[in-house]
Amino acid sequence: LLRRRRSAVDRGPRLRPPRGKANERTNERQLQAAKQQHAATTTTTTTTTTTMRTVAALAAVAVAAAAVARADVYMQNPRGSNDRNCEGNANRQNAQRLFDSENNAAGGYGCAPSMGFYEGSWLTVEWTTQHGCGNDNTHCQVILQYMCGDKDAKDEERVRDGTTTTTISTTEPHRKAAGGLAYMYGMHENQMVWNACAARKRNMGLFIADRTLNGNTAAFTRQNNNGQRHGFECAEERDYYP
């Protein structure tokens, strides 16, 4: 409709053929009125277009904000550690031990006898979603990510619990505990993952809201703006999926 109205004005005023001075004055008044109408229409069109663009931009921001909402999830089966080891306290001692769970310190299971499963059997996975899911007011996706490790894998690749609550060292990551039989530090991702993350430039197109990131590598995200290390996990791979 705006294009039609603008095109009609742009064609100019329709003037009758001049018939003496009276008609010339009439044509001048018609021309002046047409110019005023054209100016008013142009102003209306510009204002409407600007408003529509503003609304579209706000809608895009709202969709982007909704797209990155995260909910706290607590693993029940198989048992989720929430970064616990064997400390036996009401709260975990180190939220940076293996990964960033983004859950409160009271959650998680401490060390317990190993869980065993028969090859080819069905595994029931159970979890608790803290903020609700799948009702009329929320939309969510639950994504299961897991990794496997060979018990005979090399030190650099072996997934393990460790015997301490201290975050794995970057200088002695495979240090053995007293007696030399068990690893001191727990490890999920290996050090190559962290080294690549800390050296790679972050994706500048990812949503960071109003946060100021204190670095430009993949270790810095909206939810980890200080680049804090959690085990050897890469923050950008954790906070943005896929």
Side-chain angles (χ1 to χ4, degrees):
L1 293 176
L2 291 176
R3 284 199 299 270
R4 292 176 183 173
R5 190 179 301 120
R6 186 164 55 249
S7 298
V9 174
D10 288 345
R11 284 197 298 269
R14 295 184 179 181
L15 303 179
R16 296 178 180 177
R19 295 181 181 178
K21 293 183 178 181
N23 286 332
E24 288 178 3
R25 288 194 295 269
T26 300
N27 287 344
E28 289 177 0
R29 287 195 297 269
Q30 290 177 352
L31 180 59
Q32 185 65 29
K35 289 181 178 179
Q36 292 175 354
Q37 181 184 1
H38 177 69
T41 304
T42 302
T43 302
T44 302
T45 301
T46 303
T47 303
T48 303
T49 303
T50 303
T51 303
M52 291 175 66
R53 288 176 180 173
T54 303
V55 171
L58 292 175
V61 171
V63 170
V68 297
R70 296 169 64 92
D72 297 336
V73 174
Y74 298 88
M75 287 296 300
Q76 310 295 351
N77 188 66
R79 298 185 298 262
S81 71
N82 196 36
D83 276 315
R84 289 180 182 274
N85 200 338
C86 296
E87 54 263 45
N89 302 332
N91 294 331
R92 67 183 172 200
Q93 290 186 357
N94 182 6
Q96 289 81 46
R97 189 174 80 90
L98 294 170
F99 57 93
D100 184 6
S101 70
E102 299 183 13
N103 291 338
N104 66 64
Y109 294 86
C111 61
S114 298
M115 302 179 71
F117 305 95
Y118 287 101
E119 183 178 352
S121 63
W122 288 89
L123 171 62
T124 300
V125 180
E126 299 176 345
W127 65 88
T128 301
T129 304
Q130 181 176 344
H131 300 297
C133 179
N135 57 49
D136 293 338
N137 298 318
T138 60
H139 171 74
C140 66
Q141 292 179 325
V142 176
I143 300 167
L144 301 180
Q145 294 179 294
Y146 60 92
M147 62 188 303
C148 300
D150 193 324
K151 66 178 182 178
D152 297 322
K154 298 181 295 184
D155 289 347
E156 296 82 4
E157 300 172 355
R158 186 176 300 182
V159 178
R160 61 225 187 206
D161 291 327
T163 59
T164 179
T165 59
T166 304
T167 304
I168 189 169
S169 168
T170 57
T171 57
E172 292 184 286
H174 313 303
R175 182 179 176 182
K176 296 294 184 68
L181 298 178
Y183 294 97
M184 177 177 289
Y185 305 110
M187 187 180 80
H188 286 181
E189 290 88 354
N190 59 49
Q191 191 169 6
M192 291 185 294
V193 173
W194 168 253
N195 290 344
C197 180
R200 183 176 74 244
K201 184 178 180 180
R202 69 180 181 89
N203 184 339
M204 306 300 285
L206 295 175
F207 177 73
I208 61 172
D210 59 350
R211 302 300 297 273
T212 298
L213 305 191
N214 296 325
N216 282 319
T217 71
F220 297 84
T221 65
R222 179 178 70 91
Q223 293 167 281
N224 193 47
N225 61 319
N226 289 323
Q228 190 171 32
R229 183 167 65 85
H230 298 78
F232 287 144
E233 181 181 57
C234 183
E236 188 173 89
E237 295 175 5
R238 176 194 67 234
D239 291 341
Y240 299 95
Y241 184 93

